[in-house]
Amino acid sequence: MAVIVALGAFLMTLAGGWTAQRVTDRRHLVLGLAGGLMLGVVGLDLLPESLRAAGREVFGVPLALLLFVAGFLIAHVVERLLAVRQAAHGAENGGRVPEVGLTAAAAMVGHSFADGVALGAAFQVGGGMGVAVSLAVVTHDFADGFNTYTLTRLYGNARRKAVMMLFADAVAPVLGAASTLLFTLPEEPLGAYLGFFGGALLYLAAAEILPEAHHKHPALSTLMCTVGGVAGIWLVVGLAD
């Protein structure tokens, strides 16, 4: 059953990427929506789940929050190192670094694989849990596909690479769900990963996606897309619960 549901996530991911491709003439709206979706996924889905799953503390701080901050800082360090390297090779200051987009998209693929693993683990717990997680995974994989394509293209990568990363992101939950047929996943490592990934994703949303969306087009429509993205994820989380 988990693998069958993951096939639905596969289709939703492709649908999200297709939507991102079709609205290139409204790029600021795409980026505003993508930033809102990413912010909603982090604050309303990933972080609460990671705190619940990886609940133990390290020196007075929940492990999930430590990894959340680590993910944010590592994303910042990686971007700065890549930017410095590109500048040393003659790139203009402030230019986009394609490797950052590919790294971010690869992280999205890893997250989608973890979604599939979580889906399989939920069905191991019971049918009710499986249905709840299925709704969350299938619905927010539309946002994952949307964001994977948008992130890859935002940093100057060719459309072919963006499509390849989109397809990898679509296949990942199917592989993740299938892998749970072979083992039972401990809850704490999954929660730790979600915390780390949430920090990296928040950095991309706050430092890259949203400033890019609102700098050249500080319109009310862009702001509404951002707010709508957050509200959409809130609705998904609420329905899943």
Side-chain angles (χ1 to χ4, degrees):
M1 180 60 70
V3 175
I4 293 174
V5 173
L7 290 174
F10 172 87
L11 296 176
M12 288 294 284
T13 302
L14 292 181
W18 180 85
T19 300
Q21 293 181 61
R22 300 295 294 179
V23 291
T24 53
D25 58 331
R26 294 288 185 270
R27 186 169 179 269
H28 58 291
L29 299 180
V30 171
L31 293 176
L33 178 61
L37 291 172
M38 292 166 73
L39 179 58
V41 167
V42 171
L44 305 178
D45 187 13
L46 294 181
L47 194 54
E49 180 63 24
S50 67
L51 285 169
R52 184 191 64 79
R56 70 182 180 91
E57 294 188 350
V58 178
F59 204 63
V61 179
L63 174 62
L65 289 183
L66 284 175
L67 290 172
F68 177 82
V69 174
F72 188 98
L73 289 176
I74 288 175
H76 176 60
V77 169
V78 168
E79 184 193 35
R80 290 298 90 205
L81 289 176
L82 290 173
V84 168
R85 190 185 73 173
Q86 182 138 324
H89 287 80
E92 296 181 357
N93 290 334
R96 296 290 178 180
V97 184
E99 290 87 349
V100 173
L102 292 175
T103 301
M108 295 295 295
V109 173
H111 168 58
S112 292
F113 182 85
D115 275 350
V117 172
L119 185 62
F123 276 101
Q124 289 177 3
V125 172
M129 176 66 72
V131 170
V133 174
S134 297
L135 178 60
V137 168
V138 171
T139 308
H140 98 250
D141 270 3
F142 178 89
D144 284 353
F146 190 98
N147 291 335
T148 297
Y149 184 88
T150 301
L151 283 168
T152 308
R153 291 289 284 156
L154 175 64
Y155 285 87
N157 290 285
R159 180 179 179 275
R160 176 179 58 84
K161 289 185 178 181
V163 172
M164 288 175 59
M165 296 306 297
L166 173 63
F167 185 77
D169 190 46
V171 172
V174 180
L175 297 178
S179 71
T180 60
L181 299 176
L182 306 176
F183 65 90
T184 300
L185 180 72
E187 188 176 42
E188 187 170 329
L190 178 60
Y193 164 77
L194 292 177
F196 180 84
F197 176 71
L201 199 61
L202 180 62
Y203 175 81
L204 292 171
E208 298 294 331
I209 301 295
L210 291 176
E212 178 74 10
H214 293 278
H215 174 63
K216 294 182 180 179
H217 296 276
L220 179 61
S221 57
T222 308
L223 178 61
M224 293 307 296
C225 282
T226 301
V227 174
V230 175
I233 296 298
W234 187 12
L235 177 63
V236 170
V237 171
L239 291 175
D241 290 340

